[in-house]
Amino acid sequence: MFCRNERSRVTVARGSALEMEISRGGCGPGPLPDCAQDTEIQRKMERELRLREGACKLLAACSRREQALEAAKSLLVCNSRVLAYMAELQRRKEAQVLRRTARRPSDAGPADERLPCRGTVCVSDLRIPLMWKDTEYFRNKGELHRCAVFCLLQLGAEIHDTPMVLVDRTLTDICFESAVLFSEAGPDFELKVELYSAGLAGGAAQGSTPKKLATRLSTSLGRSAGKRVRAAMEGGPGSPPGNGGTGPLLLPAPNVPGPKFHLLAHAVLSLAEVQDGFRTHDLAIASNEESSFWLPLYGSMCCRLAAQPRCMATPVTSGFLRLQAGAEAQSGTRLFCVLRGTDLLCYRGPGEAEAGQEPALTITVNKETRIRATEREGRGQPPGMAVTNRLGGEEVTHTLLAESRPEAQRWMEAFWQHFYDMSQWKQCCDELMRIEVPPPRRAPAVLPRQGSLYHEMALPGPAVPPPACEGLLLQDNAVSAEIRALLSSYYSDR
């Protein structure tokens, strides 16, 4: 019912257990850790369904191109989110059923199986080059082909959309400069990037007279007579409201279909494409030149795809350890140690760590680091761990002593988990990548008009609309206010 295309269709059988669980909003008997998350997803899905219903009503009432495009875009985004939430709910319900039906511990998999930490994935400076013909771009010939485009980015059940951009032959690249963040990504993430396009035929509004004919008539008949003819064709004073005048322009019939966005191209990005820099990625084109929404794409896109695992950005663990490093001056010193990223930072106290001061000692912890548990000779001596790195062709070992055996076990477990996280996130743990923070999302502004300067020149007209159109204008302004309120509420939560 809400499918965007056949490959992303997700359905729930009527009367099935999943359908009853979703409609009831419950999670069934038994202690299920996903219950709160399922309820939150259901609330999000209900909100998107309400927004979808409102977008459908607004799309039927829109008479301006900018409003209709934003309503159509909101409708597509809501449909995509509903699909994603349904798929996520179904995946979690299936996992719950598997846990309930497990008869033996071996059926549910190993209990001590490690899970990698989550991370933040950022896409920024997204650019899609265009390949116009030389006759269109350099000589400015041919019909002016314009489209409204935007990108939809999906990672799991999280979906973000970019602002809408008007594209014609005056542009060489489609640019989406704002950063998009996904805060709950795993190392096995698949980031789907979809480019949607809607063809813009004719002038600036639905059902309006094509400007080419009006411009030709105004230039052929002369300046004075041309103005009168053009004003009559576009709904000037005295023109009939139903004969190409202002009536059909401001209030289209309810059965007139609004603009529709179509999938123009798509790509899938994974951990292998992550790089702390600008990079080119392949783009699969999903349309042909005969489509009204087609644009001449090169078949590639450029963006900066960065990832920041939590083990690199936040402390993994912290606590007091006693350093034993041979004859060094700090031998036997009790230090407050923080494991974060590729370093074990050793401070003289917790206050220095909280203040962000320089650590007294930094021990490298990377994929080449080796760690083993050690036992000091003699009874009652605290256990420790040896951290070994190769520096300048020689092995350097630092021995760290914990205050108790449970504390030593906690540190060893933190080290092993940290090594496992680094092995899963791979190049993202070589150094901390920069993550751009996007600015707060605002309601979309009015789309700028594009084309030649002559097409966009304002013609003098009456300051007061004709009496026959006053009611239509008031109704159109009310619809505009309702659209602005809905879109403001929509983007304030993004």
Side-chain angles (χ1 to χ4, degrees), residues 232 235-236 238-248:
S239 62
N243 266 338
T246 314

Side-chain angles (χ1 to χ4, degrees), residues 296-332:
L297 304 178
Y298 265 109
S300 62
M301 70 175 186
C302 305
C303 68
R304 180 180 177 270
L305 179 63
Q308 196 177 88
R310 289 179 184 169
C311 63
M312 295 290 293
T314 59
V316 177
T317 189
S318 61
F320 283 98
L321 293 173
R322 189 171 296 276
L323 176 66
Q324 295 290 332
E328 293 184 6
Q330 294 177 339
S331 179

Side-chain angles (χ1 to χ4, degrees), residues 98-110:
L98 289 178
R99 287 198 299 267
R100 290 176 183 174
T101 56
R103 300 295 182 182
R104 299 184 301 271
S106 58
D107 295 338

